[in-house]
Amino acid sequence: MKMSDLIGDRYKEKPADCTIESHALMVRGGYIKQVGTGVYSLFTPARRSTRKIEQIIREEMDAIDGQEVLFPVALPADLWKESGRYESVGKELLRFRDRMGADMVLGMTHEEAAVHLVRDLAKSYVRYPFMIYQIQTKFRDEPRARGGLIRVREFTMKDAYSFHTSQESLEKYYYRCHRAYERIFARCGAKRFVSVLSDSGMMGGSISHEFMLLSPIGEDTIVTCASCDYRANMEAAECITDNTGLEAVDDLKLVHTPEMKTIEEVAEFLHADIKHTCKAVVYQKNEDDSYVLVFLRGDHEVNETKLRNYVGAEIHAAKIEAESGIVAGFIGLKDLKCPKGSVIVIDRSLKGIGSLICGANQADYHYTGFNIARDYGTVEYADISKANIGGICPKCGRPTLDVSSGIEIGNIFQLGTKYSKAMNMQYIDQNAELHYPIMGCYGIGVGRLLASICEESHDEYGPVWPITIAPWEVQICCLRADQEEISNIGNSLYKELENAGVETVIDDRPISAGIMFSEADLLGLPIRVTVSPRNCKEGVVEVSSRNKTYSEKVPVSEAKATVIALREKMYQELNAAAPERI
Amino acid sequence: MKMSDLIGDRYKEKPADCTIESHALMVRGGYIKQVGTGVYSLFTPARRSTRKIEQIIREEMDAIDGQEVLFPVALPADLWKESGRYESVGKELLRFRDRMGADMVLGMTHEEAAVHLVRDLAKSYVRYPFMIYQIQTKFRDEPRARGGLIRVREFTMKDAYSFHTSQESLEKYYYRCHRAYERIFARCGAKRFVSVLSDSGMMGGSISHEFMLLSPIGEDTIVTCASCDYRANMEAAECITDNTGLEAVDDLKLVHTPEMKTIEEVAEFLHADIKHTCKAVVYQKNEDDSYVLVFLRGDHEVNETKLRNYVGAEIHAAKIEAESGIVAGFIGLKDLKCPKGSVIVIDRSLKGIGSLICGANQADYHYTGFNIARDYGTVEYADISKANIGGICPKCGRPTLDVSSGIEIGNIFQLGTKYSKAMNMQYIDQNAELHYPIMGCYGIGVGRLLASICEESHDEYGPVWPITIAPWEVQICCLRADQEEISNIGNSLYKELENAGVETVIDDRPISAGIMFSEADLLGLPIRVTVSPRNCKEGVVEVSSRNKTYSEKVPVSEAKATVIALREKMYQELNAAAPERI
C-alpha cells in the first residue's frame, strides 16, 4: 500500500467530541468515521485490524472444536417470543415490522437462533458436547453510546454457543473456553486483562465471567483481592461486613434531629460512629411503581444489580409520594408506614450491630439504641451492599479488597437450560430418557477489543499496535523521495518485503519529515524503516520499532533480513504471552 | 473435521417446499436452515464455502486497487434522505425508528454510506480515482423470496464504489472491474456466465451490466445474438422491428367486430396478418392512477421496464373505469377518449406500417386501413416492446436474437454524479474549479453465487463443488473403520493431509457404505479417498473425483502424493479458466 493511495486523512487536531484517547486517535488516524449515534464506518486500516482480530478468534474457536456458522442479523420475533425475551428485554432490543407486517428484531445476541439451528439435530446424547459460533454484525439500541468503538450500537461480535449433557461437561468446556479467551487477548496484544466473576443479567444462567481490560476509562468496576486471586465485577461482588465490636445493646430512645436528612449529618450531630447508623434507600419497581425500601449500614452503598436480582424486577430511584406514608429522610424499620405491596430489604451489613441509629418515620426524629431483633423482629438478611476498598475478601477472608476500573472485552456464561427448555430442545440419554441440554455462551466484541487495545497501547502520537493486529506490519518512510536514490532504495525494499509476504506501507510523498513521521505514528505500524538522504550517504537505513524499544542503522543490503527478524521476534513475543491450549 | 462431529444432518428425502434443485440439495446436505421468510442460518459447510468466495472476491478487489472498508448495516435515514432514495425507493427498503425516535434504514446498498465516508477527504483531483469496497450483511425486504439462497431478504454482499474525475477514467475502471468479475466467477468455478447490458433501475446512472449464470431456473430473461456478441437483459434490450413490405396504404373503414376483444380474434375474423394490427395495453401510474395507454404491433409485448423508464414513473396494470371513456377491448388511436392527463405511448413497432387494424373506441367496432400519419398525425415513436426470438440484433442488424434465462450473480453500474451531486461531494481540479466526482458501483451477492454454482454444478446425488469454494477439499471414507487396519490407514492419511495443509474430512462412523457415500455426495467435496477392506487387502486406497472424471487405485504409501497432485491440478484448471488481470 502506498500512503498516497490510502483513503482516509490523518490530522493533528483532537476532535472536540472525543473524551477518550483511543477514540480521538482512531478518528485522527483515519480509522473510523461516525455515521450516526453509536454507528461507525471503518476505514481500511481499522477493517484490516478487525479482520486480523477475527482471524485470531476463529483460530482459537476452531482449536476448541468450534464450528463456524452464520445466523441472520434480522430475526423473526417468534424466536424471541419462544424464549420469552421478546417481552423481557428492554428497548435495547430493536423491534420492527417487515413489509408483510411480521414482527422482527435485530439480533443483539443469538441464543435463540443457535437453539433454532440445532434443536432438530442433536437428538442423541452421542452428539454432545458441541459448540457453534459466528462472527457477525449485531445491533443493540444502547442509550449511552460513547468512546468511539468502545460502546456502540452496531458492532461485530463473535458469539459462541456450546451444548452439553451434564453440568460437568459444561464446566470443563467453560474452562477450555476461558483459556481460549486468554489466548485470544494475549495474541491480540492485550496486556492488563483479567477475568472476573460477573452478574448474568438478561442472559439467564448462573456462573459467568467477564474479561476486563484494566483501564481508568473503563465503565465497569472490578473488585480484586490483594491477598488471593478473587476477582469479581462490582455488580456481582459479595460484600462481607465485619461488625465485630459493634454488638453492645442500648436502650431505644427517640431523639430530635431537626432537618437532618442525611445519615452523615445525624451521625455527626449525635457524635456517633457511622457504623452504628442504619440508612434507608428507596426504589420503585418499573412494572408497577411499588416501593422497595433497602436498609443498610450508613457507610455502605446499594449495589443495584444485586438488589434487582434479589427482588427479581427492574427498579429505579423512587419518587416518594406524600400519601405513601413514607417520611423521606427519616425512614426507619420501627413504626414504618408504607403502602401495601412494598418490599423491605435488610442488608446483612446491619447484622450483629447491637445498637443502631435509624429514622423514626416522623419528620425531624430518629431513634438511637435501635436493635433489630428486639425492636423489629426476626429478619432475613440479604447481600445488597457494594463491596468496597479494604473490604473483606469472600474467598480468603482478609480485608484486602481493592476496586478498579475495566473495559469489558469478553464474557462467558453458563446458561444452564433456560433456552433449551423454553425452546423445547431435547435429547435422549443412554436410558432413552429425554433431557434438555445445558448451554454455555461466549462473546467477544471485535471493534471494542480493537479500541480497547488502542486505549491500552498508545502514546501521545498515536496507537502502538501489537504486530498481530496492526493494519500492516511495516512502514517505509522515504524522506525526499524526489531524490532518485532514496526512491530506489525505498521502493525496492518495499517490493522485496511485499514479495516476502510482509505487509508493508510505503510513504514516498513529497512532504516534510515532521508530517511524514506524525502520520506514521498515527498509523502505528510496529516496524518502521526510514530512508533518508543522511542515512543514504552512509549506505544504511534506520529500522526502528513503534514502541521505541528498538532502533538500529543497518546496511541497505541487510534491511530486509533485519525487518523480517524483528517481525518474527514480535510475533514470537505475543504468542509466548498466550498460555497453552487445553 | 470428523464427519461424526460435523453439526448438521444429511438426508435423502426432498423437502416439499423446494422447487429448485440447488435449494433442495443445500437443505438436504446440511448447508442452510430457514429461520423466517427469506432469512437463513448457514451451517458450517456453507459458512466455509461463503468465506472462500469472500476471500476470492477480496483478492480480486484488492488486485484492482480496492480498499476494504466496512459500512454499518443500520443507517440513519438522513443519509437516504440526502440522496432522495428514502422517498423514492419502495417497501424493499426496511425503515424503522430507534429508541430515540430517529428514522433509520437497513442498508440494502451503500452508495450513500460510501459518499458519506469519503466526501470530506477527496478534495483534490490528485486523490482520484479510487475504489472502496466492503463485504457485509444487507437486508432487502423482498416480496418474493424463493429458492433457498437464490433470492433472500438478508444476504452477504460485496459492494464496491469507485470515484473518478472523468467519464473516461470511470469507463477504464469499469472495464477493469468487469475483468475482475470474470476472474472471480471463473475462479469460483462458475462456467456458463455472461455479462449483459442491463437496466439501471433505482440505482440511477446510465450504463450497467449484469453478470448472468445461464440457467433454466433463472428469473432474468437474457437476449443474446447468435451472430455477434450482443447481450442484454430483456429489461434493457432494444427492440428493432422490420416492417418492410407492410407499407401499402388502404382506405379507412369502420368494421363490425362483435365481442372480439383480443387482437388475435380480430385478425382471424378479418383474415389479416397480425403484423397489420395495432393493439393497446393500458397501465396506470402508481402515484395518481392516471392512465398510460401503450399502442404496439399486435404480435409484440410491452417491456414494462422500458415503459417505466419512458414515462418516468412506477406503473401497474390498469383497472379501467367506465367513466374514463376508454372502451376496453376496442381501444384505438382514432377518436380516442381518455381522461385529461393520460399518457399515450406509441411503440416504434408500428412505424412504417401503411395500413393498420385498430380499435374504433366504440364497443364491437374496429377500423381497418388506419394510417397513423394520415388519420392521427405526427407522432414520436418510443421503444417499449420486448425483444423476441429471431428479432433483429441492435448491434449487428441480423435477425438472430435469442432469448434465454439467467440468474444474476453480479452487477456493475456507471452511476455518474447522481450521488455525489445529491450529497454534495466535490473536488477541485487543476484549474481550481469545483466538480462532482463520477461514480461507479459494483456488487456481488455471496450466498446467491454459492447457490447458483450449486445449481450449475450438481448431479442427482448432491453438489459437485469446485475445489476453490468446496467446504473442504478431500473426504476420506473409511468403510469398516471398526477394523484396526482400516482405521489406521484412514486416520494416518487424515493426519498427513491435514499437516500438509489439505482441508480434509474423515468419515469413520460405523455406517453402511451406501449411507456413507450418499452423505459424501451431499457434502460434494471434489476429492474422495475410499479405504475399504477389499482395497486394504490389495494394499491400495481408491482416489476419485466427485465429478467422476478421475478414479484410481493407488498404493497406500502414494495416497498423500496422489491427492495433493490431483488437488493442485484442480486449482490450476480453475485458475487457468480465469482471464488475465488488467
Side-chain angles (χ1 to χ4, degrees), chain B residues 283-307:
Chain B
Y283 295 88
Q284 285 175 291
K285 289 189 187 173
N286 290 3
E287 58 200 35
D288 60 1
D289 273 350
S290 65
Y291 293 100
V292 176
L293 298 100
V294 184
F295 294 89
L296 69 171
R297 211 173 79 171
D299 57 342
H300 279 232
E301 278 183 71
V302 176
N303 179 328
E304 292 180 2
T305 304
K306 290 198 287 189
L307 178 60

Side-chain angles (χ1 to χ4, degrees), chain A residues 294-431:
Chain A
V294 184
F295 294 89
L296 69 171
R297 210 172 81 170
D299 57 343
H300 279 232
E301 278 181 70
V302 176
N303 178 327
E304 293 181 2
T305 303
K306 290 199 285 187
L307 177 59
R308 199 175 286 126
N309 292 341
Y310 182 77
V311 301
E314 289 298 311
I315 50 163
H316 60 273
K319 205 174 148 185
I320 298 173
E321 304 287 342
E323 58 266 37
S324 68
I326 300 172
V327 186
F330 301 93
I331 307 168
L333 281 165
K334 188 169 167 61
D335 311 326
L336 174 63
K337 286 185 207 86
C338 56
K340 220 181 138 185
S342 299
V343 179
I344 292 166
V345 181
I346 303 176
D347 185 61
R348 65 185 193 189
S349 57
L350 297 173
K351 198 175 177 181
I353 305 180
S355 165
L356 284 161
I357 297 165
C358 64
N361 299 304
Q362 48 177 300
D364 298 341
Y365 282 91
H366 278 80
Y367 281 114
T368 62
F370 176 71
N371 180 288
I372 294 179
R374 182 191 67 194
D375 304 323
Y376 183 74
T378 308
V379 300
E380 179 198 323
Y381 290 99
D383 174 24
I384 302 300
S385 283
K386 280 187 183 172
N388 47 30
I389 296 176
I392 295 166
C393 172
K395 189 163 177 187
C396 72
R398 296 197 192 95
T400 46
L401 286 188
D402 196 9
V403 173
S404 47
S405 300
I407 308 169
E408 184 190 341
I409 52 174
N411 51 43
I412 56 180
F413 295 89
Q414 295 187 15
L415 289 176
T417 56
K418 170 175 167 158
Y419 296 92
S420 53
K421 252 187 197 153
M423 299 181 69
N424 200 30
M425 174 179 181
Q426 290 186 296
Y427 68 90
I428 295 169
D429 73 5
Q430 291 94 317
N431 307 315

Side-chain angles (χ1 to χ4, degrees), chain A residues 1 4-10 32-37 39-45 47-48 50-51 55 58 62 66-76 79 90-92 94-100 104 106 113 115-122 126-127 130-133 135-137 139 141-143 153-154 156, chain B residues 1 4-10 32-37 39-45 47-48 50-51 55 58 62 66-76 79 90-92 94-100 104 106 113 115-122 126-127 130-133 135-137 139 141-143 153-154 156:
Chain A
M1 171 64 66
S4 50
D5 291 334
L6 181 62
I7 299 302
D9 281 348
R10 281 148 294 284
I32 58 176
K33 181 169 183 181
Q34 187 167 8
V35 183
T37 310
V39 178
Y40 286 83
S41 284
L42 304 188
F43 283 106
T44 302
R47 185 64 189 113
R48 290 180 65 97
T50 56
R51 282 191 49 224
Q55 186 53 29
R58 186 173 280 128
D62 288 347
Q67 297 185 40
E68 188 174 356
V69 300
L70 191 71
F71 304 119
V73 174
L75 295 162
L79 280 183
K91 283 187 177 168
E92 60 271 31
L94 200 297
R95 297 157 172 91
F96 66 95
R97 287 232 162 109
D98 69 9
R99 69 188 296 166
M100 279 89 79
M104 299 194 74
L106 291 186
V115 172
H116 171 268
L117 186 64
V118 300
R119 68 176 156 190
D120 301 327
L121 301 174
V126 299
R127 301 291 289 269
F130 62 89
M131 185 272 266
I132 51 178
Y133 73 97
I135 299 173
Q136 167 74 306
T137 304
F139 192 89
D141 206 354
E142 271 288 346
R153 298 201 293 164
E154 179 175 320
T156 300
Chain B
M1 170 64 67
S4 50
D5 291 335
L6 180 62
I7 298 302
D9 281 348
R10 281 149 294 283
I32 58 175
K33 181 169 181 181
Q34 187 167 9
V35 183
T37 309
V39 177
Y40 286 83
S41 284
L42 305 188
F43 283 105
T44 302
R47 184 66 190 112
R48 289 180 67 97
T50 55
R51 282 192 47 227
Q55 186 53 29
R58 185 173 280 128
D62 289 347
Q67 297 185 39
E68 188 175 356
V69 299
L70 191 72
F71 305 120
V73 174
L75 294 161
L79 282 183
K91 283 186 177 171
E92 61 270 31
L94 200 298
R95 298 156 172 92
F96 65 94
R97 287 233 161 109
D98 70 9
R99 70 186 295 166
M100 280 88 82
M104 299 193 76
L106 291 187
V115 173
H116 172 267
L117 186 65
V118 299
R119 68 177 157 189
D120 302 327
L121 302 174
V126 299
R127 302 289 289 269
F130 64 89
M131 184 272 267
I132 51 179
Y133 74 96
I135 299 173
Q136 168 74 306
T137 305
F139 192 88
D141 206 352
E142 272 287 344
R153 298 202 294 166
E154 180 175 319
T156 300

Side-chain angles (χ1 to χ4, degrees), chain B residues 343-368:
Chain B
V343 178
I344 292 165
V345 182
I346 303 175
D347 185 60
R348 65 186 192 189
S349 58
L350 297 173
K351 196 175 177 183
I353 305 179
S355 166
L356 284 161
I357 297 165
C358 65
N361 298 305
Q362 50 177 299
D364 298 339
Y365 282 92
H366 280 79
Y367 282 114
T368 62

